[in-house]
Amino acid sequence: MAAGTAGTAGTARTALTTETAEAVDAVAAAGTRERIQPARPARGRAHRTLLAALVAAAVIFPVSAAASADVPAPPPAAMAEDAAPHTRYAANRVGLTEAARMAEEAGRTGRAAKLRAMEAAGTAQFLAFDGRGRGRAVEVFGELETADRVAVLVPGSDTTLDTYQRFRAGAVTLQQRLQAEHPRSAVVAWLGYDTPGTVSTTVLTAERADQAAGELAPFLGRLSDMAGPGAQLSLLCHSYGSVVCARTPTGPSVADIALFGSPGTGADSAGELPTSARVWAGRGGGDWIADVPHVRLGGIGFGPDPVDPAFGAKAFAAGPGGHSDYLKPGTESLDGLAAIVLGSARTAGTAGAATTTATVSEATRA
C-alpha cells in the first residue's frame, strides 16, 4: 500500500469505534476464519475477501451521501398523537412549503426544487415530514382511512430527501398495481430513519437498523389505528431496509414481511425474527447483492442469505431484474410483491417445479 493511501486509511480508521476497528481487522484476516454459513464452500474465501474489500472501501473513501450539509427548515409540525390522517396531511404540506422557501433563500436551489416536487401541487399526503438535514418523510398513496390492505415500503441505503423521487416512484407504481386489483388498498412510503450511505461503515452494521426499528414499531401501531377497520399491513423491505424490518417487533396487524434485495438480516433464520407474520424473500436474477458475502464477523455483516431455503422464508419469484428494479412497472417482482400484500401470493418452487398457493389463515385474512 502506498504511503499516502496508508495515511488516509489510518486517519479514517481513527473515526471508528474500537469494536468496529477490531472487526475490520478480523475480516481482513478472514482467510483463516470459518464462514458462519458454509453453504457454498468453494466461494467462501472469495466472499470473505470481498467483505474485507467492502470494509476497506468504506473506511478509506469519502462518501458524499453519508452526510448532508445543514439545510434550513422548520421543525416538524406538532400534532396530537390521535390526529387524523387528513389533519396530518394539511399540517405537513405547510411545513413542506416552508422548507422549500427556506432552502431557496439559503441558496439550496436543488433541495428547494426537490421539495416542491414532493408537494405534488398541494395534493401530497404526508403523515410526517422533517426537512432538516438529510430529512425524513412518511407519505401515503391512496385512501388510508378506508384501506383494508396497506403496504409499508421501507427503503435501503442512500434514501434521503435529495433522492426521494426514486423512492416515491416505486410507491406510486405499487399503488397503481394494487388499485387495479383491489381498490381498498394504500401504500405508505416510510422514510422514517437516517439511512446509511451505500459505501460507508454504517451500511455494514445494524446500528442504523436498530435505531430505525425503534421508530418503525410504534409507527405500525399508530398506522393500524388510522387505516380501515381490520386492515392488514404488509412490510415490504428493500436492501438495508430488510435489516430494519427484521429487527422490528410487529403486532398482529402485520400479516406479511417481504425481504427483497437483502444483504441478510442479522438473524440465522426467519423464525428468529420478532414477528408472527409470514416472512417472504426474493432476489432478482441481476441483483448485485447476490455477490455480497452472507457472513457476520465481529458485528460486521448480516449473516445468512434470506433467499437460502435454510433460512426458512417463503420464496417469491422476483424475475431477472437488478437491485433497483423490484418496483418497476410490468415486472415479475412487482406482481409478486402486490400478491403478498393482497393475500394471493404463490410460493416459488425450485427450478422446474410447480408453484403452490400460500396458505392464508382465515383468522388473519377475514
Side-chain angles (χ1 to χ4, degrees), residues 352-363:
T355 59
T356 58
T357 304
T359 301
V360 179
S361 168
E362 291 184 1

Side-chain angles (χ1 to χ4, degrees), residues 313-342:
K314 296 179 181 294
F316 74 92
H323 193 65
S324 300
D325 298 336
Y326 291 93
L327 294 174
K328 287 189 174 179
T331 56
E332 188 175 3
S333 53
L334 177 64
D335 287 342
L337 290 168
I340 289 171
V341 175
L342 298 178

